[in-house]
Amino acid sequence: MHIGIIGTGYVGLVTGACFAEFGLFVTCLDKDEKKIKSLKKGKVPFYEPGLEELVQRNLKEGRLTFTTDVAEAVDSSLAIFIAVGTPPRGDGSADLKYIEDVAKEIAANLNGYKIIVTKSTVPVGTGDRIREIVSRNLKELVHFDIVSNPEFLREGSAIEDFMRPNRVIIGVDPESSSGQQAIAIMKDLYKPLYLIETPFVITNIKTAELIKYASNSFLATKISFINEIANLCEKVGADVHMVAKGMGLDMRIGSKFLHPGPGYGGSCLPKDTKALLKMAEEQNVELSVVDAVVRANEKQKEIMAKKIKDAMGVLKEKTIAILGLSFKPNTDDIRDAPSLYLIRRLLTEKAKIRVYDPVVRSLDLIAKSNELIANDSKLRALSSKLITYCKDPYEAAKGAHALVIMTEWNQFRNLELERLRKLLKEPYFFDFRNIYEPKRLKENGFKYFCVGRQ
Ligand code: UDX
């Protein structure tokens, strides 16, 4: 079977490569010619463990091809997956511009029955909107079905998540005469997952669309919840890890996503929670829990900055070493990363910053992705003057007054403490991912601060 994937970003490329690995013939399309040119050579433009090998192998074996030509991606494909971005607008709602453009292009090339599947996270009702646009722009009268098939891929373990998902959600129009056929095609595409007994949830399109937002918002809720409990733990002298463990053993609660930290980030949770709030607002429905989750997360980032300031006093002329920029380990993604918030706050305090991250290596990237810095000429000027990029954690620590761990990369878990202590001018150690034992750090002469533990 042939399928087409429109958009070779994170979701599109992982989906395309994994489906090719399942034995399907996959054509991936992107309008970015440079990207397609390098993908044809097997070069993946971002960091995701295992993806480059998967792309290269399937390229070589002829199951994966790349193109910028829509007709090529649509012509022989029975299913066309839309995996283009839905960036947030200023008001938090998802911008559907790219989805709509793609819908028009697919329509113009539709030459027989096909299913059009949305992988992108899209607001409830987008499936209907795509149907309308495609119908209006058809060149010849052909039948098609719209399917919603949201992705639940975690950056850093996306391939594993695709190959061994907890569930596959398939939303189809119950009114469609060919709805059963669309479901059958989708099940066929995911056939290898039947062998591992993956649950399939078959429902209508709107429900499928909402499942994605509700899932991500619930994950965000767990994080904000444990972060607030962590803040209380600090005041009352409790240990948040034990609280999380005690809670998580209750099967109704579960132990995952109860790790406290400097606030969630990334391309999904911040964007999806805000888009869900916007959707609810448009329907006059109050989502007070999600609203509180978003506010708690913003506050959590500020609480981390305040922790540093409260401990160290005036930060002007002080140098802070930051270890980790990406929003979590095993990715080079810094979208909405708490590290960017902290960098901005430190810049406004006129502190000097030394950074190191194992994969995020460009300062330019920091300035660009941190809109708050990019749009503020003063901060932009300060960032080029005050931020130094270092080649390893020890170089970052050299001459700094404090060390801050912002991402729990494995290589930060076993730093040579004595060496670090000697390199630092002052012994402040802010472990915002709780990867060290407080007792051990104190024994090594550090002034140690973490989240929700004494
Ligand atoms: C998330 C969802 O998990 C995935 O299903 C969805 O489709 C896309 O968004 P991702 O953004 O890659 O995936 O990251 P995830 O591993 O879920 O972590 C999200 C954020 O929460 C990170 O900033 C992480 O550091 C933080 N987090 C996670 C916590 O602070 N505590 C936890 O216990 C778990």
Side-chain angles (χ1 to χ4, degrees), residues 152 154-155 212 223 257-259 265 268 327-328 433:
F152 299 96
R154 284 165 305 169
E155 292 184 26
K212 172 63 193 269
I223 299 170
F257 267 69
L258 287 179
H259 192 80
C268 289
F327 78 97
K328 64 172 191 176
R433 296 290 179 175

Side-chain angles (χ1 to χ4, degrees), residues 312-437:
M312 298 178 68
V314 178
L315 294 176
K316 196 170 174 212
E317 306 297 327
K318 294 268 167 74
T319 301
I320 314 288
I322 295 183
L323 300 190
L325 291 168
S326 56
F327 78 97
K328 64 172 191 176
N330 294 327
T331 173
D332 60 356
D333 198 341
I334 55 175
R335 281 176 287 178
D336 260 319
S339 66
L340 296 183
Y341 180 88
L342 183 65
I343 289 176
R344 181 177 74 91
R345 283 290 281 107
L346 293 174
L347 284 179
T348 50
E349 300 284 337
K350 304 219 166 51
K352 290 190 185 128
I353 303 168
R354 294 171 72 76
V355 292
Y356 169 72
D357 185 281
V359 298
V360 183
R361 296 195 175 268
S362 151
L363 271 183
D364 198 37
L365 203 69
I366 301 172
K368 257 195 238 145
S369 6
N370 194 348
E371 279 177 26
L372 298 165
I373 296 177
N375 297 337
D376 182 327
S377 55
K378 241 205 229 141
L379 281 186
R380 222 171 40 233
L382 276 176
S383 76
S384 57
K385 246 193 3 225
L386 295 179
I387 306 180
T388 310
Y389 196 89
C390 303
K391 70 171 191 327
D392 63 42
Y394 304 100
E395 194 192 275
K398 199 171 170 195
H401 299 87
L403 190 84
V404 186
I405 295 188
M406 287 304 286
T407 317
E408 67 278 35
W409 282 98
N410 273 340
Q411 58 168 272
F412 299 156
R413 290 177 188 270
N414 252 317
L415 295 169
E416 293 170 50
L417 294 178
E418 229 184 283
R419 186 169 161 205
L420 274 184
R421 177 65 198 86
K422 282 186 192 138
L423 287 167
L424 285 169
K425 246 188 212 154
E426 283 182 41
Y428 288 102
F429 196 118
F430 298 93
D431 175 9
F432 291 157
R433 296 290 179 175
N434 288 0
I435 58 179
Y436 282 94
E437 263 318 304

